[in-house]
Amino acid sequence: MPDGGLASVLDVKDLKTVFRTRRGEVHAVNNVTFHLEAGELLGVVGESGSGKSVTMMSLIGLLPQPPAEIRGGTVRFEGKDLLACTEEELRAVRGARIGFVFQDPMTSLNPVFPVGFQIVEPLRKHMKLSKSKARDRAVELLELVGIPDARRRLDDYPHQFSGGMRQRVMIAIALACDPQVLIADEPTTALDVTIQAQILELIKELRHKLGMAIVWITHDLGVIAGIADRVMVMYGGQVVEQGPVKELFANPKHPYTRMLLETVPSVRGDRVERLRVIQGQPPILAQDPDSCPFRPRCPFAFERCARQNPPRLPVGPGHDAACFWNVDTGAPRDV
């Protein structure tokens, strides 16, 4: 049971994903554990290469196997372990009970089919609607996501839509079968700020109307501050900190989280100091990490960090961090 006392709709424990390459193995996801409560919006943040997208695609079998291989863990959803499901059972979950919005709507939509066909297809497969009823439902979905003249636009192709409208179509497809969980993988990254704001308002409105739980993956900490209930920070294929959004932003406990927040430019007053950056690059893990993956870039690293990968330790109500260093006292934790 999660800290908030509500039942979890999704429980992930010790998820581990490895890619086999010509140069050896890449340990992309390392013992990731988290939960998602009913109606909650969980923000997942971290640099490129931190394992955010791979983690979420691992949950519902979207990674090609090989080269990907799920080495361990459980993903409990509606009483089932999704990692133990057959491909046929997973297809019944994908699109129907768990919706997925991908990063780039231009490459995610099939350019040779009208958008109406791409919305109708999951409706006919999962909800067994007739062609006419599925088309009517597709019109409702396009209207729900704010596309005008929806019935006429069903027969338009993806290239006839703007970037923002294509993303709205992707959201309509993900919502087609009234999913219990929506995973949005950086859905506004390729959009300009005006369209981004519209999509964010749309998601807020749909969440309120439909009551679904949402996982929102992004690089943009400002977006997470405005829409999330809880934040999960990832680095090196693992969760390094998670907690309620207000608590984590006001009182980050992991050095990586603090450094991420410091890279956000200020809009208050005259900024005279240079924009801060995190020196170095995220690791490419050739083996299961036996030390802290952030150690080479961390200003607080000490001898123990090289010997042991820190577990997630409680640092407040519903708040934990995977770090041996206490950033508040400036001394190692007594654990």
Short mmCIF file of all heavy atoms in Angstrom, two decimals, residues 106-172:
data_model
loop_
_atom_site.label_atom_id
_atom_site.label_comp_id
_atom_site.label_asym_id
_atom_site.label_seq_id
_atom_site.Cartn_x
_atom_site.Cartn_y
_atom_site.Cartn_z
N MET A 106 4.78 12.70 -35.37
CA MET A 106 4.94 12.52 -36.82
C MET A 106 5.43 11.13 -37.14
O MET A 106 4.99 10.50 -38.11
CB MET A 106 5.92 13.57 -37.37
CG MET A 106 5.94 13.64 -38.91
SD MET A 106 4.41 14.23 -39.63
CE MET A 106 3.80 12.79 -40.51
N THR A 107 6.35 10.60 -36.35
CA THR A 107 6.87 9.26 -36.61
C THR A 107 6.02 8.18 -35.94
O THR A 107 6.12 7.01 -36.30
CB THR A 107 8.33 9.14 -36.13
OG1 THR A 107 8.40 9.46 -34.73
CG2 THR A 107 9.23 10.09 -36.90
N SER A 108 5.21 8.54 -34.97
CA SER A 108 4.38 7.55 -34.28
C SER A 108 3.09 7.26 -35.03
O SER A 108 2.56 6.15 -34.97
CB SER A 108 4.05 8.04 -32.86
OG SER A 108 5.23 8.22 -32.11
N LEU A 109 2.57 8.26 -35.75
CA LEU A 109 1.39 8.04 -36.58
C LEU A 109 1.82 7.44 -37.92
O LEU A 109 2.84 7.82 -38.48
CB LEU A 109 0.65 9.36 -36.81
CG LEU A 109 -0.05 9.97 -35.60
CD1 LEU A 109 -0.50 11.39 -35.89
CD2 LEU A 109 -1.24 9.12 -35.17
N ASN A 110 1.02 6.50 -38.43
CA ASN A 110 1.33 5.89 -39.72
C ASN A 110 0.96 6.86 -40.83
O ASN A 110 -0.21 7.24 -40.96
CB ASN A 110 0.55 4.58 -39.87
CG ASN A 110 1.05 3.73 -41.02
OD1 ASN A 110 1.37 4.24 -42.08
ND2 ASN A 110 1.11 2.43 -40.79
N PRO A 111 1.93 7.27 -41.66
CA PRO A 111 1.65 8.30 -42.67
C PRO A 111 0.75 7.84 -43.81
O PRO A 111 0.23 8.68 -44.55
CB PRO A 111 3.04 8.67 -43.19
CG PRO A 111 3.86 7.44 -42.97
CD PRO A 111 3.34 6.84 -41.69
N VAL A 112 0.53 6.53 -43.99
CA VAL A 112 -0.23 6.04 -45.14
C VAL A 112 -1.69 5.77 -44.80
O VAL A 112 -2.46 5.38 -45.67
CB VAL A 112 0.42 4.78 -45.75
CG1 VAL A 112 1.85 5.07 -46.18
CG2 VAL A 112 0.39 3.62 -44.78
N PHE A 113 -2.09 5.97 -43.53
CA PHE A 113 -3.48 5.75 -43.14
C PHE A 113 -4.08 7.06 -42.61
O PHE A 113 -3.40 7.81 -41.90
CB PHE A 113 -3.60 4.68 -42.06
CG PHE A 113 -3.27 3.29 -42.54
CD1 PHE A 113 -2.11 2.66 -42.13
CD2 PHE A 113 -4.13 2.62 -43.40
CE1 PHE A 113 -1.80 1.38 -42.57
CE2 PHE A 113 -3.84 1.34 -43.84
CZ PHE A 113 -2.67 0.72 -43.44
N PRO A 114 -5.35 7.32 -42.90
CA PRO A 114 -6.01 8.49 -42.30
C PRO A 114 -6.03 8.36 -40.77
O PRO A 114 -6.01 7.25 -40.23
CB PRO A 114 -7.44 8.44 -42.87
CG PRO A 114 -7.36 7.54 -44.06
CD PRO A 114 -6.26 6.56 -43.79
N VAL A 115 -6.09 9.51 -40.09
CA VAL A 115 -6.06 9.46 -38.62
C VAL A 115 -7.30 8.76 -38.08
O VAL A 115 -7.24 8.09 -37.03
CB VAL A 115 -5.92 10.88 -38.02
CG1 VAL A 115 -4.62 11.53 -38.46
CG2 VAL A 115 -7.11 11.75 -38.36
N GLY A 116 -8.42 8.86 -38.80
CA GLY A 116 -9.64 8.19 -38.35
C GLY A 116 -9.45 6.69 -38.26
O GLY A 116 -9.89 6.04 -37.31
N PHE A 117 -8.80 6.12 -39.27
CA PHE A 117 -8.54 4.68 -39.26
C PHE A 117 -7.70 4.29 -38.06
O PHE A 117 -7.93 3.25 -37.44
CB PHE A 117 -7.83 4.28 -40.56
CG PHE A 117 -7.40 2.84 -40.60
CD1 PHE A 117 -8.28 1.84 -41.02
CD2 PHE A 117 -6.12 2.47 -40.20
CE1 PHE A 117 -7.88 0.52 -41.03
CE2 PHE A 117 -5.73 1.14 -40.21
CZ PHE A 117 -6.61 0.16 -40.63
N GLN A 118 -6.71 5.13 -37.72
CA GLN A 118 -5.79 4.81 -36.62
C GLN A 118 -6.45 4.94 -35.25
O GLN A 118 -6.00 4.33 -34.28
CB GLN A 118 -4.54 5.70 -36.73
CG GLN A 118 -3.79 5.46 -38.03
CD GLN A 118 -2.53 6.29 -38.16
OE1 GLN A 118 -1.62 6.18 -37.35
NE2 GLN A 118 -2.47 7.10 -39.20
N ILE A 119 -7.53 5.72 -35.17
CA ILE A 119 -8.30 5.80 -33.93
C ILE A 119 -9.32 4.67 -33.87
O ILE A 119 -9.54 4.06 -32.81
CB ILE A 119 -9.02 7.16 -33.81
CG1 ILE A 119 -8.02 8.32 -33.85
CG2 ILE A 119 -9.83 7.22 -32.52
CD1 ILE A 119 -8.67 9.68 -33.91
N VAL A 120 -9.93 4.36 -35.00
CA VAL A 120 -10.97 3.33 -35.06
C VAL A 120 -10.41 1.94 -34.79
O VAL A 120 -11.07 1.10 -34.16
CB VAL A 120 -11.69 3.38 -36.43
CG1 VAL A 120 -12.48 2.11 -36.68
CG2 VAL A 120 -12.58 4.61 -36.51
N GLU A 121 -9.19 1.68 -35.25
CA GLU A 121 -8.61 0.34 -35.15
C GLU A 121 -8.61 -0.22 -33.71
O GLU A 121 -9.11 -1.33 -33.48
CB GLU A 121 -7.18 0.34 -35.72
CG GLU A 121 -6.56 -1.05 -35.80
CD GLU A 121 -5.18 -1.02 -36.41
OE1 GLU A 121 -4.50 0.02 -36.29
OE2 GLU A 121 -4.78 -2.04 -36.99
N PRO A 122 -8.07 0.52 -32.69
CA PRO A 122 -8.13 -0.03 -31.33
C PRO A 122 -9.55 -0.14 -30.79
O PRO A 122 -9.83 -1.03 -29.97
CB PRO A 122 -7.30 0.96 -30.51
CG PRO A 122 -7.27 2.22 -31.30
CD PRO A 122 -7.32 1.79 -32.74
N LEU A 123 -10.46 0.72 -31.23
CA LEU A 123 -11.84 0.65 -30.77
C LEU A 123 -12.50 -0.65 -31.25
O LEU A 123 -13.24 -1.30 -30.50
CB LEU A 123 -12.63 1.85 -31.28
CG LEU A 123 -12.27 3.20 -30.65
CD1 LEU A 123 -12.92 4.34 -31.42
CD2 LEU A 123 -12.71 3.25 -29.18
N ARG A 124 -12.22 -1.02 -32.48
CA ARG A 124 -12.82 -2.24 -33.02
C ARG A 124 -12.17 -3.50 -32.43
O ARG A 124 -12.85 -4.50 -32.19
CB ARG A 124 -12.70 -2.25 -34.54
CG ARG A 124 -13.43 -1.08 -35.21
CD ARG A 124 -13.73 -1.36 -36.66
NE ARG A 124 -14.72 -2.43 -36.79
CZ ARG A 124 -15.06 -2.98 -37.96
NH1 ARG A 124 -14.47 -2.57 -39.08
NH2 ARG A 124 -15.96 -3.94 -38.01
N LYS A 125 -10.87 -3.41 -32.16
CA LYS A 125 -10.17 -4.58 -31.64
C LYS A 125 -10.49 -4.83 -30.16
O LYS A 125 -10.82 -5.93 -29.76
CB LYS A 125 -8.66 -4.42 -31.81
CG LYS A 125 -7.85 -5.58 -31.23
CD LYS A 125 -6.39 -5.44 -31.51
CE LYS A 125 -5.59 -6.57 -30.87
NZ LYS A 125 -6.03 -7.91 -31.28
N HIS A 126 -10.37 -3.75 -29.36
CA HIS A 126 -10.49 -3.93 -27.91
C HIS A 126 -11.93 -3.81 -27.40
O HIS A 126 -12.30 -4.48 -26.44
CB HIS A 126 -9.62 -2.90 -27.18
CG HIS A 126 -8.16 -3.09 -27.41
ND1 HIS A 126 -7.47 -4.22 -27.04
CD2 HIS A 126 -7.23 -2.27 -27.99
CE1 HIS A 126 -6.19 -4.10 -27.37
NE2 HIS A 126 -6.02 -2.92 -27.95
N MET A 127 -12.71 -2.91 -28.01
CA MET A 127 -14.07 -2.69 -27.52
C MET A 127 -15.13 -3.35 -28.38
O MET A 127 -16.33 -3.25 -28.08
CB MET A 127 -14.33 -1.18 -27.40
CG MET A 127 -13.34 -0.47 -26.48
SD MET A 127 -13.70 1.28 -26.21
CE MET A 127 -15.08 1.18 -25.07
N LYS A 128 -14.70 -3.99 -29.49
CA LYS A 128 -15.59 -4.76 -30.37
C LYS A 128 -16.75 -3.92 -30.91
O LYS A 128 -17.88 -4.39 -31.05
CB LYS A 128 -16.16 -5.99 -29.63
CG LYS A 128 -15.11 -6.85 -28.93
CD LYS A 128 -14.07 -7.38 -29.89
CE LYS A 128 -13.05 -8.25 -29.18
NZ LYS A 128 -11.95 -8.68 -30.07
N LEU A 129 -16.47 -2.63 -31.20
CA LEU A 129 -17.50 -1.76 -31.75
C LEU A 129 -17.66 -2.00 -33.25
O LEU A 129 -16.72 -2.40 -33.93
CB LEU A 129 -17.13 -0.29 -31.51
CG LEU A 129 -17.01 0.19 -30.07
CD1 LEU A 129 -16.70 1.68 -30.04
CD2 LEU A 129 -18.29 -0.10 -29.29
N SER A 130 -18.85 -1.75 -33.75
CA SER A 130 -19.07 -1.81 -35.20
C SER A 130 -18.33 -0.65 -35.85
O SER A 130 -17.91 0.30 -35.18
CB SER A 130 -20.56 -1.72 -35.52
OG SER A 130 -21.05 -0.43 -35.16
N LYS A 131 -18.16 -0.71 -37.15
CA LYS A 131 -17.41 0.32 -37.86
C LYS A 131 -18.05 1.70 -37.68
O LYS A 131 -17.36 2.70 -37.44
CB LYS A 131 -17.33 -0.02 -39.35
CG LYS A 131 -16.39 0.89 -40.13
CD LYS A 131 -16.22 0.41 -41.56
CE LYS A 131 -15.24 1.32 -42.31
NZ LYS A 131 -15.05 0.84 -43.72
N SER A 132 -19.38 1.77 -37.77
CA SER A 132 -20.06 3.06 -37.65
C SER A 132 -19.97 3.61 -36.23
O SER A 132 -19.73 4.80 -36.02
CB SER A 132 -21.52 2.94 -38.08
OG SER A 132 -22.20 2.01 -37.24
N LYS A 133 -20.15 2.73 -35.23
CA LYS A 133 -20.07 3.19 -33.84
C LYS A 133 -18.64 3.58 -33.48
O LYS A 133 -18.42 4.54 -32.72
CB LYS A 133 -20.57 2.11 -32.89
CG LYS A 133 -22.09 1.92 -32.94
CD LYS A 133 -22.56 0.94 -31.88
CE LYS A 133 -24.08 0.82 -31.90
NZ LYS A 133 -24.57 -0.14 -30.89
N ALA A 134 -17.66 2.86 -34.02
CA ALA A 134 -16.27 3.21 -33.77
C ALA A 134 -15.94 4.57 -34.38
O ALA A 134 -15.20 5.37 -33.79
CB ALA A 134 -15.36 2.14 -34.34
N ARG A 135 -16.51 4.85 -35.55
CA ARG A 135 -16.28 6.16 -36.18
C ARG A 135 -16.91 7.27 -35.36
O ARG A 135 -16.33 8.35 -35.20
CB ARG A 135 -16.86 6.17 -37.60
CG ARG A 135 -15.80 6.31 -38.67
CD ARG A 135 -16.46 6.38 -40.04
NE ARG A 135 -16.33 7.68 -40.65
CZ ARG A 135 -15.22 8.10 -41.22
NH1 ARG A 135 -14.13 7.36 -41.20
NH2 ARG A 135 -15.17 9.29 -41.78
N ASP A 136 -18.11 7.02 -34.85
CA ASP A 136 -18.75 8.03 -34.00
C ASP A 136 -17.93 8.28 -32.74
O ASP A 136 -17.78 9.43 -32.30
CB ASP A 136 -20.16 7.56 -33.60
CG ASP A 136 -21.13 7.57 -34.77
OD1 ASP A 136 -20.84 8.24 -35.77
OD2 ASP A 136 -22.16 6.87 -34.68
N ARG A 137 -17.40 7.20 -32.17
CA ARG A 137 -16.55 7.34 -30.98
C ARG A 137 -15.27 8.10 -31.32
O ARG A 137 -14.80 8.92 -30.53
CB ARG A 137 -16.22 5.94 -30.43
CG ARG A 137 -15.17 5.91 -29.33
CD ARG A 137 -15.62 6.60 -28.07
NE ARG A 137 -14.63 6.41 -27.00
CZ ARG A 137 -14.52 7.19 -25.94
NH1 ARG A 137 -15.34 8.22 -25.78
NH2 ARG A 137 -13.63 6.94 -25.01
N ALA A 138 -14.71 7.89 -32.51
CA ALA A 138 -13.51 8.60 -32.94
C ALA A 138 -13.77 10.10 -33.06
O ALA A 138 -12.93 10.92 -32.69
CB ALA A 138 -13.02 8.04 -34.27
N VAL A 139 -14.97 10.44 -33.54
CA VAL A 139 -15.34 11.86 -33.61
C VAL A 139 -15.39 12.46 -32.22
O VAL A 139 -14.89 13.57 -31.97
CB VAL A 139 -16.70 12.03 -34.34
CG1 VAL A 139 -17.18 13.47 -34.24
CG2 VAL A 139 -16.58 11.60 -35.80
N GLU A 140 -16.01 11.74 -31.27
CA GLU A 140 -16.08 12.22 -29.89
C GLU A 140 -14.69 12.44 -29.30
O GLU A 140 -14.45 13.42 -28.60
CB GLU A 140 -16.84 11.20 -29.02
CG GLU A 140 -18.31 11.05 -29.36
CD GLU A 140 -18.96 9.94 -28.54
OE1 GLU A 140 -18.28 9.38 -27.65
OE2 GLU A 140 -20.13 9.63 -28.80
N LEU A 141 -13.77 11.51 -29.60
CA LEU A 141 -12.41 11.62 -29.06
C LEU A 141 -11.68 12.83 -29.64
O LEU A 141 -10.99 13.55 -28.91
CB LEU A 141 -11.63 10.34 -29.35
CG LEU A 141 -12.05 9.12 -28.53
CD1 LEU A 141 -11.53 7.83 -29.17
CD2 LEU A 141 -11.54 9.24 -27.10
N LEU A 142 -11.82 13.05 -30.94
CA LEU A 142 -11.17 14.21 -31.54
C LEU A 142 -11.75 15.51 -30.99
O LEU A 142 -11.02 16.49 -30.77
CB LEU A 142 -11.31 14.17 -33.07
CG LEU A 142 -10.48 13.11 -33.80
CD1 LEU A 142 -10.66 13.26 -35.31
CD2 LEU A 142 -9.01 13.20 -33.44
N GLU A 143 -13.05 15.54 -30.76
CA GLU A 143 -13.66 16.72 -30.14
C GLU A 143 -13.18 16.89 -28.71
O GLU A 143 -12.94 18.01 -28.24
CB GLU A 143 -15.19 16.60 -30.19
CG GLU A 143 -15.76 16.71 -31.60
CD GLU A 143 -17.26 16.44 -31.64
OE1 GLU A 143 -17.79 15.87 -30.65
OE2 GLU A 143 -17.90 16.78 -32.66
N LEU A 144 -13.01 15.76 -28.00
CA LEU A 144 -12.54 15.80 -26.61
C LEU A 144 -11.16 16.44 -26.51
O LEU A 144 -10.88 17.19 -25.57
CB LEU A 144 -12.51 14.39 -26.04
CG LEU A 144 -12.07 14.23 -24.58
CD1 LEU A 144 -13.10 14.85 -23.64
CD2 LEU A 144 -11.86 12.77 -24.24
N VAL A 145 -10.29 16.15 -27.48
CA VAL A 145 -8.93 16.70 -27.43
C VAL A 145 -8.82 18.03 -28.18
O VAL A 145 -7.72 18.53 -28.40
CB VAL A 145 -7.90 15.69 -27.99
CG1 VAL A 145 -7.88 14.44 -27.14
CG2 VAL A 145 -8.16 15.35 -29.45
N GLY A 146 -9.95 18.60 -28.59
CA GLY A 146 -9.94 19.97 -29.10
C GLY A 146 -9.65 20.14 -30.57
O GLY A 146 -9.16 21.19 -30.99
N ILE A 147 -9.96 19.14 -31.39
CA ILE A 147 -9.76 19.27 -32.83
C ILE A 147 -11.09 19.68 -33.47
O ILE A 147 -12.08 18.95 -33.38
CB ILE A 147 -9.25 17.96 -33.45
CG1 ILE A 147 -7.84 17.69 -32.94
CG2 ILE A 147 -9.26 18.02 -34.98
CD1 ILE A 147 -7.20 16.45 -33.49
N PRO A 148 -11.15 20.86 -34.11
CA PRO A 148 -12.41 21.34 -34.69
C PRO A 148 -12.78 20.56 -35.95
O PRO A 148 -11.92 19.96 -36.61
CB PRO A 148 -12.10 22.81 -35.01
CG PRO A 148 -10.61 22.87 -35.17
CD PRO A 148 -10.05 21.82 -34.25
N ASP A 149 -14.08 20.59 -36.28
CA ASP A 149 -14.60 19.91 -37.48
C ASP A 149 -14.13 18.46 -37.51
O ASP A 149 -13.60 17.95 -38.52
CB ASP A 149 -14.13 20.66 -38.73
CG ASP A 149 -15.00 20.35 -39.95
OD1 ASP A 149 -16.00 19.63 -39.78
OD2 ASP A 149 -14.63 20.78 -41.06
N ALA A 150 -14.33 17.77 -36.38
CA ALA A 150 -13.72 16.47 -36.16
C ALA A 150 -14.17 15.42 -37.17
O ALA A 150 -13.34 14.64 -37.67
CB ALA A 150 -14.05 15.99 -34.74
N ARG A 151 -15.44 15.38 -37.53
CA ARG A 151 -15.91 14.32 -38.44
C ARG A 151 -15.24 14.43 -39.81
O ARG A 151 -14.84 13.42 -40.39
CB ARG A 151 -17.44 14.37 -38.57
CG ARG A 151 -18.00 13.17 -39.34
CD ARG A 151 -19.51 13.12 -39.22
NE ARG A 151 -19.95 12.83 -37.85
CZ ARG A 151 -20.03 11.61 -37.34
NH1 ARG A 151 -19.67 10.55 -38.05
NH2 ARG A 151 -20.46 11.45 -36.11
N ARG A 152 -15.09 15.64 -40.31
CA ARG A 152 -14.43 15.80 -41.61
C ARG A 152 -12.96 15.43 -41.53
O ARG A 152 -12.41 14.82 -42.46
CB ARG A 152 -14.58 17.24 -42.09
CG ARG A 152 -13.93 17.50 -43.46
CD ARG A 152 -14.04 18.95 -43.85
NE ARG A 152 -13.27 19.80 -42.95
CZ ARG A 152 -11.95 19.97 -43.04
NH1 ARG A 152 -11.24 19.31 -43.94
NH2 ARG A 152 -11.34 20.78 -42.20
N ARG A 153 -12.32 15.73 -40.41
CA ARG A 153 -10.88 15.52 -40.29
C ARG A 153 -10.51 14.06 -40.06
O ARG A 153 -9.33 13.70 -40.11
CB ARG A 153 -10.31 16.39 -39.19
CG ARG A 153 -10.58 17.87 -39.39
CD ARG A 153 -9.38 18.72 -39.18
NE ARG A 153 -8.31 18.47 -40.13
CZ ARG A 153 -7.13 19.10 -40.09
NH1 ARG A 153 -6.89 19.97 -39.13
NH2 ARG A 153 -6.20 18.82 -40.97
N LEU A 154 -11.50 13.20 -39.82
CA LEU A 154 -11.21 11.77 -39.68
C LEU A 154 -10.52 11.21 -40.92
O LEU A 154 -9.71 10.29 -40.82
CB LEU A 154 -12.50 10.98 -39.44
CG LEU A 154 -13.11 10.99 -38.03
CD1 LEU A 154 -14.38 10.16 -38.03
CD2 LEU A 154 -12.13 10.47 -37.01
N ASP A 155 -10.83 11.75 -42.08
CA ASP A 155 -10.28 11.22 -43.33
C ASP A 155 -9.02 11.92 -43.77
O ASP A 155 -8.49 11.64 -44.85
CB ASP A 155 -11.35 11.30 -44.44
CG ASP A 155 -12.58 10.45 -44.12
OD1 ASP A 155 -12.39 9.32 -43.65
OD2 ASP A 155 -13.70 10.94 -44.32
N ASP A 156 -8.51 12.84 -42.95
CA ASP A 156 -7.24 13.50 -43.26
C ASP A 156 -6.07 12.64 -42.81
O ASP A 156 -6.18 11.83 -41.89
CB ASP A 156 -7.16 14.86 -42.55
CG ASP A 156 -8.07 15.90 -43.20
OD1 ASP A 156 -8.57 15.64 -44.31
OD2 ASP A 156 -8.29 16.95 -42.58
N TYR A 157 -4.94 12.85 -43.48
CA TYR A 157 -3.72 12.10 -43.17
C TYR A 157 -2.85 12.90 -42.19
O TYR A 157 -3.01 14.12 -42.07
CB TYR A 157 -2.96 11.80 -44.45
CG TYR A 157 -3.64 10.76 -45.31
CD1 TYR A 157 -4.69 11.11 -46.17
CD2 TYR A 157 -3.24 9.42 -45.25
CE1 TYR A 157 -5.33 10.15 -46.94
CE2 TYR A 157 -3.88 8.45 -46.03
CZ TYR A 157 -4.92 8.83 -46.86
OH TYR A 157 -5.56 7.88 -47.62
N PRO A 158 -1.93 12.23 -41.48
CA PRO A 158 -1.11 12.93 -40.48
C PRO A 158 -0.40 14.18 -41.00
O PRO A 158 -0.29 15.17 -40.28
CB PRO A 158 -0.11 11.86 -40.03
CG PRO A 158 -0.85 10.57 -40.20
CD PRO A 158 -1.69 10.77 -41.43
N HIS A 159 0.06 14.16 -42.26
CA HIS A 159 0.80 15.32 -42.77
C HIS A 159 -0.09 16.54 -42.95
O HIS A 159 0.40 17.67 -43.12
CB HIS A 159 1.49 14.98 -44.10
CG HIS A 159 0.54 14.84 -45.27
ND1 HIS A 159 -0.06 13.63 -45.60
CD2 HIS A 159 0.06 15.75 -46.16
CE1 HIS A 159 -0.84 13.81 -46.66
NE2 HIS A 159 -0.79 15.09 -47.01
N GLN A 160 -1.41 16.35 -42.90
CA GLN A 160 -2.35 17.47 -43.04
C GLN A 160 -2.65 18.15 -41.69
O GLN A 160 -3.43 19.09 -41.65
CB GLN A 160 -3.65 16.98 -43.68
CG GLN A 160 -3.47 16.49 -45.10
CD GLN A 160 -4.74 15.89 -45.67
OE1 GLN A 160 -5.04 14.71 -45.48
NE2 GLN A 160 -5.51 16.72 -46.35
N PHE A 161 -2.01 17.66 -40.62
CA PHE A 161 -2.19 18.23 -39.29
C PHE A 161 -0.91 18.93 -38.86
O PHE A 161 0.20 18.51 -39.23
CB PHE A 161 -2.53 17.14 -38.27
CG PHE A 161 -3.90 16.54 -38.41
CD1 PHE A 161 -4.18 15.62 -39.41
CD2 PHE A 161 -4.93 16.90 -37.54
CE1 PHE A 161 -5.44 15.06 -39.54
CE2 PHE A 161 -6.18 16.36 -37.67
CZ PHE A 161 -6.45 15.44 -38.67
N SER A 162 -1.04 19.96 -38.05
CA SER A 162 0.13 20.61 -37.45
C SER A 162 0.72 19.72 -36.37
O SER A 162 0.10 18.72 -35.97
CB SER A 162 -0.27 21.96 -36.85
OG SER A 162 -1.13 21.76 -35.73
N GLY A 163 1.91 20.09 -35.87
CA GLY A 163 2.55 19.29 -34.82
C GLY A 163 1.68 19.16 -33.59
O GLY A 163 1.54 18.07 -33.02
N GLY A 164 1.07 20.27 -33.16
CA GLY A 164 0.21 20.22 -31.98
C GLY A 164 -1.03 19.38 -32.20
O GLY A 164 -1.46 18.63 -31.31
N MET A 165 -1.62 19.49 -33.40
CA MET A 165 -2.80 18.69 -33.71
C MET A 165 -2.47 17.21 -33.82
O MET A 165 -3.26 16.35 -33.41
CB MET A 165 -3.44 19.18 -35.02
CG MET A 165 -4.12 20.53 -34.90
SD MET A 165 -5.52 20.46 -33.75
CE MET A 165 -6.13 22.13 -33.84
N ARG A 166 -1.29 16.88 -34.35
CA ARG A 166 -0.89 15.47 -34.40
C ARG A 166 -0.74 14.90 -33.00
O ARG A 166 -1.10 13.75 -32.74
CB ARG A 166 0.43 15.33 -35.18
CG ARG A 166 0.28 15.46 -36.68
CD ARG A 166 1.50 14.95 -37.41
NE ARG A 166 2.68 15.76 -37.17
CZ ARG A 166 3.09 16.77 -37.94
NH1 ARG A 166 2.38 17.11 -39.01
NH2 ARG A 166 4.18 17.44 -37.65
N GLN A 167 -0.19 15.72 -32.09
CA GLN A 167 -0.06 15.23 -30.72
C GLN A 167 -1.43 15.04 -30.09
O GLN A 167 -1.63 14.10 -29.31
CB GLN A 167 0.79 16.21 -29.90
CG GLN A 167 1.28 15.64 -28.57
CD GLN A 167 2.13 14.41 -28.75
OE1 GLN A 167 1.62 13.32 -28.96
NE2 GLN A 167 3.44 14.58 -28.65
N ARG A 168 -2.38 15.88 -30.42
CA ARG A 168 -3.74 15.71 -29.92
C ARG A 168 -4.35 14.41 -30.46
O ARG A 168 -5.08 13.71 -29.74
CB ARG A 168 -4.61 16.90 -30.31
CG ARG A 168 -4.26 18.18 -29.55
CD ARG A 168 -4.99 19.39 -30.14
NE ARG A 168 -4.56 20.62 -29.47
CZ ARG A 168 -5.20 21.21 -28.48
NH1 ARG A 168 -6.32 20.67 -28.02
NH2 ARG A 168 -4.75 22.32 -27.94
N VAL A 169 -4.05 14.09 -31.72
CA VAL A 169 -4.52 12.83 -32.29
C VAL A 169 -3.92 11.66 -31.53
O VAL A 169 -4.60 10.67 -31.21
CB VAL A 169 -4.18 12.74 -33.79
CG1 VAL A 169 -4.47 11.33 -34.32
CG2 VAL A 169 -4.96 13.78 -34.58
N MET A 170 -2.61 11.74 -31.21
CA MET A 170 -1.95 10.68 -30.44
C MET A 170 -2.61 10.49 -29.08
O MET A 170 -2.79 9.37 -28.61
CB MET A 170 -0.47 11.00 -30.26
CG MET A 170 0.38 10.81 -31.50
SD MET A 170 0.41 9.10 -32.07
CE MET A 170 1.10 8.28 -30.65
N ILE A 171 -2.98 11.60 -28.45
CA ILE A 171 -3.66 11.52 -27.15
C ILE A 171 -5.03 10.89 -27.31
O ILE A 171 -5.46 10.07 -26.50
CB ILE A 171 -3.75 12.92 -26.51
CG1 ILE A 171 -2.35 13.43 -26.16
CG2 ILE A 171 -4.63 12.90 -25.27
CD1 ILE A 171 -2.32 14.89 -25.74
N ALA A 172 -5.73 11.24 -28.40
CA ALA A 172 -7.04 10.65 -28.67
C ALA A 172 -6.94 9.14 -28.84
O ALA A 172 -7.77 8.38 -28.33
CB ALA A 172 -7.66 11.29 -29.92
#
